Amino acid sequence: MTRTGTTGNDRNSFIYVVAALAALNGLLFGFDTGVISGAMLYIRNTFELATVFGYSMNASLIEGIIVSGAMIGAIIGAALGGRLADRLGRRRLILVGAVVFFVGSLIMAIAPTVEILIVGRIVDGIGVGFASVVGPLYISEISPPKIRGSLVSLNQLTITSGILIAYLVNFAFAGGGEWRWMLGLGMVPAAVLFVGMLFMPESPRWLYEHGRESDAREVLASTRVETQVEDELREIKETIHTESGTLRDLFEPWVRPMLIVGVGLAVFQQVTGINTVMYYAPTILESTGFANTASILATVGIGVVNVTMTVAAVLLIDRTGRRPLLLLGLAGMSVMLAVLGIAFYLPGLSGAIGWIATGSLMLYVAFFAIGLGPVFWLLISEIYPTEIRGTAMGVVTVVNWAGNLLVSLTFLRLIDIVGQTGTFWLYGALSVLALLFCYRLVPETKGRSLEEIEADLRETAFGADAGERPQVTKTDD
Ligand code: BGC
């Protein structure tokens, strides 16, 4: 599966091919996130939403089950995916995930009943759950340290691109109400990912951990310049033990601080409200005085801002480091949420105030896209030891999907109870908390190999004062 005997230039460009292809995992994730709101408008007209599996329910509850089915699937997929990535290997799990996602999309596209549609959503979600863990994990382990941040963040770039493509697909198929096409189109990136991954190598770190040193060397040789191969392999040998870790190892004293960081970031990435915008943007925009179609178009605008600022993050993240982007992003999100709350507080949302609300919504997304969006997925692929990296990422990703589900189920109800101003201020207050959390606890990982990060964490835990920020912050370039 690996390419050998290539020239120096080839080697550098091959790593970009590997990362770009693996980043299609993010496209599945993003497409799934963005497509359902548009499709739902027409699913209503195809099925009589009155009973599910023999139980009578009201239509909005059934719609809720269809929408959240994928998130429940993603929770299951992430819970299984971490462990499977450690057992089966990263590459093989990507292949499995692509097949599962493909089958889920197919089931949805041809679903004769609402029950089968729900089953399709859950299957599709399981594929997304696998993809969300293994995409960043695989890219992180196969990348050279100096460009690891950019390459892993390609996965967030494809998440945001997937959301934007889904908005455009919704727009394109809306006239005819062709929801089966909208959902079925997910089969295309899944098929490309599957075929492409057949030709990609396994992660060198996973190979070494499973006793396949010469295969690991071969992969490094095909993705690095020649002079780096033996150094990196030596570092891997010094750090990685050849027996897999277990869930219990996550609670080892030296891993625990990073478990807190990962879980904290996962919670904050969701409870600061990003997916209320991803799922409900047209609804929010309509209340700022936009007409129906204008609000759908402005939603596309939000998708474009999300992609553009993620491109900025990809370009910057290995230069500025992770912490500056994270802290700047969270500070910006806090301010924008405060402004948004004020705009909804003032009487009469039309005219200038409507524009302020729309502008602050866009800037809020921009600040997420340059910070918490990509940095969360990157950091959780960097801060855990190789033996339990998959398992640890699985746990953290489950928390992220559970937070996603919680926020999307409670958003409309929260608006009923505390109003729009109260809701955005609540997300704003949580963003301030997130800022303090990250300032205090999140380490810098820029430019360091995964093995150096691991060594630093051991040293900090066993050598530094409790409560001190992990000293991975030192950069030696
Ligand atoms: C988050 C998703 C979100 C997306 C928006 C991702 O990093 O995990 O929940 O929908 O960013 O761009």
Side-chain angles (χ1 to χ4, degrees):
M1 277 315 136
T2 54
R3 296 173 7 148
T4 47
T6 48
T7 69
N9 274 342
D10 247 342
R11 277 171 205 151
N12 281 332
S13 49
F14 185 52
I15 187 65
Y16 290 102
V17 175
V18 176
L21 210 119
L24 282 179
N25 281 293
L27 201 71
L28 307 185
F29 177 163
F31 186 77
D32 196 74
T33 298
V35 80
I36 193 64
S37 57
M40 205 59 236
L41 298 174
Y42 307 99
I43 291 173
R44 287 183 192 137
N45 305 335
T46 308
F47 299 116
E48 201 197 333
L49 300 178
T51 59
V52 169
F53 298 112
Y55 294 99
S56 35
M57 289 178 196
N58 72 27
S60 54
L61 184 58
I62 298 177
E63 285 185 21
I65 296 175
I66 297 172
V67 173
S68 51
M71 277 181 243
I72 291 167
I75 292 174
I76 301 170
L80 300 174
R83 197 87 190 95
L84 283 176
D86 283 344
R87 289 239 173 117
L88 294 180
R90 290 40 170 143
R91 176 178 162 274
R92 239 181 273 163
L93 186 63
I94 296 180
L95 292 170
V96 173
V99 172
V100 174
F101 189 89
F102 185 95
V103 172
S105 304
L106 181 64
I107 296 175
M108 290 191 291
I110 58 174
T113 64
V114 72
E115 285 82 1
I116 295 183
L117 180 66
I118 293 170
V119 170
R121 282 288 285 165
I122 295 176
V123 173
D124 175 86
I126 293 176
V128 172
F130 288 165
S132 59
V133 176
V134 78
L137 168 60
Y138 172 79
I139 303 177
S140 176
E141 287 189 342
I142 206 162
S143 298
K146 279 204 158 23
I147 51 170
R148 189 181 58 239
S150 296
L151 294 183
V152 175
S153 302
L154 285 180
N155 199 66
Q156 173 73 11
L157 182 60
T158 51
I159 294 177
T160 56
S161 309
I163 295 174
L164 179 60
I165 291 170
Y167 288 163
L168 294 171
V169 166
N170 288 345
F171 203 54
F173 286 110
E178 289 154 289
W179 63 267
R180 290 181 189 279
W181 277 101
M182 294 179 182
L183 298 176
L185 264 179
M187 285 188 278
V188 177
V192 177
L193 175 62
F194 181 85
V195 174
M197 274 315 285
L198 290 175
F199 300 95
M200 296 298 121
E202 178 52 275
S203 142
R205 289 174 167 81
W206 186 86
L207 286 170
Y208 180 79
E209 196 204 338
H210 287 77
R212 293 166 57 184
E213 185 179 332
S214 63
D215 291 340
R217 176 181 285 110
E218 210 182 303
V219 176
L220 287 174
S222 68
T223 50
R224 306 285 190 275
V225 284
E226 221 172 303
T227 49
Q228 287 169 357
V229 176
E230 290 306 320
D231 283 350
E232 197 163 335
L233 195 64
R234 188 168 338 107
E235 218 182 2
I236 290 176
K237 281 189 197 171
E238 279 164 14
T239 315
I240 299 179
H241 310 286
T242 45
E243 74 278 6
S244 290
T246 63
L247 202 58
R248 202 179 306 145
D249 295 331
L250 264 181
F251 299 94
E252 289 277 315
W254 70 282
V255 184
R256 213 181 302 141
M258 289 306 107
L259 183 63
I260 295 171
V261 166
V263 168
L265 282 171
V267 170
F268 283 126
Q269 203 209 28
Q270 295 299 326
V271 300
T272 47
I274 188 63
N275 283 311
T276 64
V277 184
M278 296 300 120
Y279 302 136
Y280 298 104
T283 316
I284 301 174
L285 287 163
E286 259 176 57
S287 56
T288 69
F290 274 101
N292 216 328
T293 29
S295 70
I296 292 181
L297 220 67
T299 303
V300 173
I302 287 178
V304 172
V305 168
N306 200 8
V307 171
T308 313
M309 291 308 283
T310 309
V311 172
V314 167
L315 296 175
L316 287 171
I317 206 153
D318 285 313
R319 274 185 239 168
T320 57
R322 289 56 166 151
R323 277 175 60 85
L325 290 186
L326 187 60
L327 299 178
L328 169 80
L330 279 167
M333 284 167 68
S334 310
V335 173
M336 289 309 137
L337 285 165
V339 174
L340 204 57
I342 294 171
F344 276 98
Y345 186 71
L346 297 171
L349 251 183
S350 53
I353 298 175
W355 282 109
I356 292 176
T358 311
S360 48
L361 196 65
M362 298 237 176
L363 284 172
Y364 160 76
V365 171
F367 279 115
F368 174 86
I370 203 157
L372 195 54
V375 176
F376 163 65
W377 293 107
L378 172 59
L379 277 172
I380 65 164
S381 76
E382 298 181 321
I383 57 178
Y384 299 109
T386 300
E387 292 93 64
I388 52 162
R389 188 169 294 121
T391 306
M393 285 182 73
V395 169
V396 168
T397 307
V398 166
V399 174
N400 187 263
W401 280 110
N404 193 333
L405 182 65
L406 179 80
V407 171
S408 44
L409 289 181
T410 53
F411 175 61
L412 294 179
R413 189 83 193 94
L414 205 58
I415 289 186
D416 279 346
I417 299 170
V418 296
Q420 271 148 327
T421 299
T423 304
F424 290 125
W425 281 351
L426 174 65
Y427 297 148
L430 289 165
S431 303
V432 174
L433 257 183
L435 180 62
L436 297 175
F437 175 90
C438 294
Y439 177 74
R440 189 83 192 92
L441 297 175
V442 170
E444 182 56 82
T445 51
K446 171 186 128 177
R448 309 183 73 73
S449 71
L450 296 177
E451 288 67 35
E452 281 175 299
I453 296 170
E454 187 171 333
D456 284 342
L457 291 175
R458 280 181 193 271
E459 198 180 302
T460 312
F462 298 120
D465 293 347
E468 204 173 282
R469 200 173 68 218
Q471 289 304 301
V472 208
T473 39
K474 50 186 190 276
T475 41
D476 34 34
D477 31 298

